[in-house]
Amino acid sequence: MPDDARCPCLSGDAYGACCGPVHSGDRPAVTAEALMRSRYSAYAVGHEAWLRASWHPRTRPASLDLDDDVTWRRLDIVGTRAGGPFDEQGEVEFAAWWRSATTGERGRLHEVSRFVRGPAPRPGERGPWLYVDGDVQP
Ligand SMILES: [Zn+2]
């Protein structure tokens, strides 16, 4: 995805100023919401390596099978709880809209995701946000 393209997470920023540097490891996600956005964008662009890297080792699936047929169309952040720069855990509630290329079927995934910080890379620093799991909402 070009740096000057609109970021798939629909933050309003360009990819190169939003989820791009998070995907490349140039800039950590400062908040749980930023990590959530980067993971949504990774699904949207098929960035499997980032999905794995941002998944807590305890809950990370052995293999990830991204569905090429599904395009992710829109992300709405419904709400957040904690997950800020000085928090150790957080929750992000979101709705993500998808569409199937072959059937034209559309749907919405509504989930409350849980995030925690991983180990700090160096003493005195904060660990990176990691996705743990989520509860799909009706
Ligand atoms: Zn983004």
Side-chain angles (χ1 to χ4, degrees):
M1 163 145 299
D3 275 353
D4 59 356
R6 192 161 73 136
C7 194
C9 81
L10 301 185
S11 61
D13 286 329
Y15 178 69
C18 188
C19 295
V22 179
H23 287 170
S24 61
D26 290 338
R27 192 188 67 207
V30 176
T31 63
E33 178 182 335
L35 188 79
M36 160 63 219
R37 287 181 174 280
S38 79
R39 287 178 51 82
Y40 170 85
S41 291
Y43 275 107
V45 302
H47 194 330
E48 188 174 334
W50 177 246
L51 290 169
R52 294 187 57 78
S54 60
W55 214 307
H56 196 287
R58 182 163 58 78
T59 52
R60 182 168 53 209
S63 72
L64 215 66
D65 208 2
L66 296 185
D67 190 347
D68 289 342
D69 180 54
V70 168
T71 42
W72 292 93
R73 315 269 302 168
R74 178 175 152 192
L75 172 70
D76 283 336
I77 302 295
V78 177
T80 60
R81 197 181 59 75
F86 304 105
D87 292 319
E88 292 296 320
Q89 53 184 346
E91 287 182 359
V92 179
E93 180 176 0
F94 68 93
W97 276 260
W98 55 267
R99 190 170 75 187
S100 159
T102 46
T103 67
E105 189 189 351
R106 294 157 186 266
R108 184 185 75 139
L109 171 67
H110 182 193
E111 184 181 304
V112 176
S113 294
R114 280 178 286 273
F115 300 86
V116 297
R117 285 190 187 273
R122 281 176 288 276
E125 294 186 2
R126 294 200 160 254
W129 284 109
L130 296 170
Y131 170 72
V132 181
D133 58 14
D135 293 325
V136 174
Q137 309 292 306

